[in-house]
Amino acid sequence: MPKLDFEIITMGHGSGGMLTHKLLDAGVFDVLSNEYLDKQHDGAVFDVTPGKMAFTTDSYVVSPIFFPGGNIGELAINGTVNDLCMCGAKAAFISLSFIIEEGLRVSDFWEILLHIKQAADHAGVKIVTGDTKVVERGKGDKIFINTSGVGKVHPEAAISVDRIKTGDKVIISNDIARHGIAIMSVREGLEFESDIESDTCHFNHIVEQLLEDFGNGIHFLRDATRGGLSTILNEVSQSLSKGIAIHQKDITVDESVAGACELLGLDPLYVANEGVFVAFVEASIADQVVQKLKSWENGLHAAVIGEVADQHPGQVVFHSQIGGRRVVNMLVGEQLPRIC
């Protein structure tokens, strides 16, 4: 961290004057430097090659801003990248805007910046423009981040809920419920036998590989963030008026996460993830897709967990390990607010 003559963010840092320039020049522009951002313009101009483009925007208000396995900075980059990936696109450019509460320690802001840089480099994206505002103490919660992202859609991608059909297999990319429990453990001051960390990561490279190998055999993709796995499956089932059957034996939940869920009275199916996506694919390629996912560092527990059926239209039916069945409804209300 550079030597600065201030230790906390003040209202002056949002004035657009000298303090703003000190904060940006010694921090944002230096850490995130690239040929687009270095122009320090209000926007960015870049070439777009022929083909479809995807665009997304999001805001991040997670509390606390630092949590086991990550912080609000890398979460913002990974989340924006992943929204583009779920459109079948490879993320390329991101805008980044900060809304900072007066009183935030500059050392905390610096750590967030470094994690933003690391996450962007890992995903292969460039932050090309942004904005910084400061609000009065008590009018925010340390820092909020807004992003927008642009990426080129893979030529073999045909990602749409309308392409899902009876017989399609449902795949999850990894074990579930880590992020929500990691946030809750810090927020509530809980201690578990082992450290539970957020699963936040980007999908930029793995989705590109899946589309290269399996093309339009991949019918639909969606990341299982707020509302967890159950919400995604219910949205799809109700949209198509088809049934979805899922099998408990195939859904991996880390032992510590499962124990925490049991202690807190939570169902892992409803707990948020930040590094898990759901794929609906042709039955004939399902096992191959799983094997490709398992070769990825964040896909060790990828599995086929169910299938699309004509029975029980509009409902998700959960088959337990002991042979029971129950309907998995959509989450009602907010299980854990400000999760991302």
Side-chain angles (χ1 to χ4, degrees), residues 268-280:
L269 295 176
Y270 294 96
V271 178
N273 310 275
E274 285 293 340
V276 175
F277 64 88
V278 183
F280 289 77

Side-chain angles (χ1 to χ4, degrees), residues 4 6 63 85 108 137-138 212 254 310-312 320 332:
L4 301 170
F6 52 88
S63 176
C85 292
D108 287 344
R137 192 185 300 266
E212 286 283 346
D254 177 81
D310 289 326
Q311 295 80 19
H312 49 82
S320 73
V332 177

Side-chain angles (χ1 to χ4, degrees), residues 65-66 71-74 98 104 107-117 143 145:
I65 59 174
F66 296 97
N71 63 53
I72 191 173
E74 65 187 286
F98 300 109
L104 178 72
S107 57
D108 287 344
F109 184 62
W110 181 257
E111 185 173 349
I112 289 168
L113 273 180
L114 292 181
H115 280 84
I116 285 172
K117 170 66 172 173
I143 185 170
I145 298 177

Side-chain angles (χ1 to χ4, degrees), residues 91-327:
F93 303 109
I94 290 179
S95 72
L96 181 71
S97 293
F98 300 109
I99 300 174
I100 305 172
E101 183 188 19
E102 179 185 19
L104 178 72
R105 295 191 63 82
V106 175
S107 57
D108 287 344
F109 184 62
W110 181 257
E111 185 173 349
I112 289 168
L113 273 180
L114 292 181
H115 280 84
I116 285 172
K117 170 66 172 173
Q118 292 169 4
D121 287 348
H122 197 216
V125 299
K126 291 184 177 178
I127 295 158
V128 297
T129 189
D131 184 51
T132 300
K133 295 291 191 298
V134 179
V135 297
E136 296 92 338
R137 192 185 300 266
K139 297 294 180 66
D141 191 357
K142 297 183 179 178
I143 185 170
F144 298 148
I145 298 177
N146 174 266
T147 61
S148 290
V150 177
K152 184 180 179 183
V153 177
H154 194 283
E156 296 298 320
I159 308 300
S160 172
V161 70
D162 297 333
R163 296 194 63 237
I164 299 172
K165 63 182 189 297
T166 301
D168 277 3
K169 296 297 185 181
V170 183
I171 293 172
I172 54 171
S173 64
N174 212 1
D175 58 299
I176 63 171
R178 285 181 180 271
H179 180 72
I181 296 302
I183 294 292
M184 184 169 283
S185 68
V186 178
R187 200 178 288 178
E188 303 300 331
L190 303 175
E191 294 185 3
F192 304 114
E193 289 184 4
S194 63
D195 294 332
I196 298 174
E197 295 189 346
S198 169
D199 58 354
T200 179
C201 67
H202 74 86
F203 308 146
N204 220 20
H205 305 319
I206 187 61
V207 168
E208 182 183 33
Q209 292 173 22
L210 292 176
L211 291 169
E212 286 283 346
D213 291 349
F214 306 108
N216 61 17
I218 298 173
H219 295 162
F220 187 67
L221 298 169
R222 181 65 65 84
D223 51 342
T225 53
R226 288 177 297 174
L229 175 62
S230 66
T231 296
I232 302 304
L233 298 181
N234 271 281
E235 288 175 350
V236 171
S237 179
Q238 293 171 18
S239 174
L240 295 173
S241 293
K242 290 185 179 293
I244 296 176
I246 57 174
H247 306 278
Q248 183 181 24
K249 64 182 178 61
D250 299 315
I251 302 171
T252 301
V253 182
D254 177 81
E255 186 176 347
S256 296
V257 172
C261 286
E262 185 174 354
L263 177 68
L264 298 167
L266 300 176
D267 186 335
L269 295 176
Y270 294 96
V271 178
N273 310 275
E274 285 293 340
V276 175
F277 64 88
V278 183
F280 289 77
V281 307
E282 290 273 2
S284 60
I285 65 169
D287 290 340
Q288 295 169 273
V289 171
V290 168
Q291 289 308 309
K292 175 65 72 172
L293 285 168
K294 286 188 172 183
S295 68
W296 173 45
E297 61 182 336
N298 297 302
L300 298 179
H301 300 289
V304 175
I305 64 165
E307 54 280 328
V308 179
D310 289 326
Q311 295 80 19
H312 49 82
Q315 291 185 323
V316 178
V317 174
F318 180 83
H319 295 253
S320 73
Q321 288 180 317
I322 60 173
R325 292 191 301 172
R326 65 178 172 92
V327 173

Side-chain angles (χ1 to χ4, degrees), residues 14-94:
S15 68
M18 184 177 295
L19 285 177
T20 301
H21 284 271
K22 281 186 176 182
L23 179 65
L24 296 180
D25 290 342
V28 178
F29 291 137
D30 185 46
V31 173
L32 304 179
S33 175
N34 62 63
E35 66 271 31
Y36 300 97
L37 191 63
D38 289 349
K39 297 182 185 298
Q40 300 186 18
H41 200 278
D42 284 340
V45 178
F46 42 82
D47 292 325
V48 177
T49 54
K52 293 181 179 179
M53 302 296 291
F55 175 79
T56 190
T57 189
D58 210 341
S59 297
Y60 296 85
V61 298
V62 64
S63 176
I65 59 174
F66 296 97
F67 48 83
N71 63 53
I72 191 173
E74 65 187 286
L75 186 69
I77 300 303
N78 289 337
T80 307
V81 167
N82 293 346
D83 284 347
L84 291 170
C85 292
M86 298 298 95
C87 298
K90 185 175 183 180
F93 303 109
I94 290 179

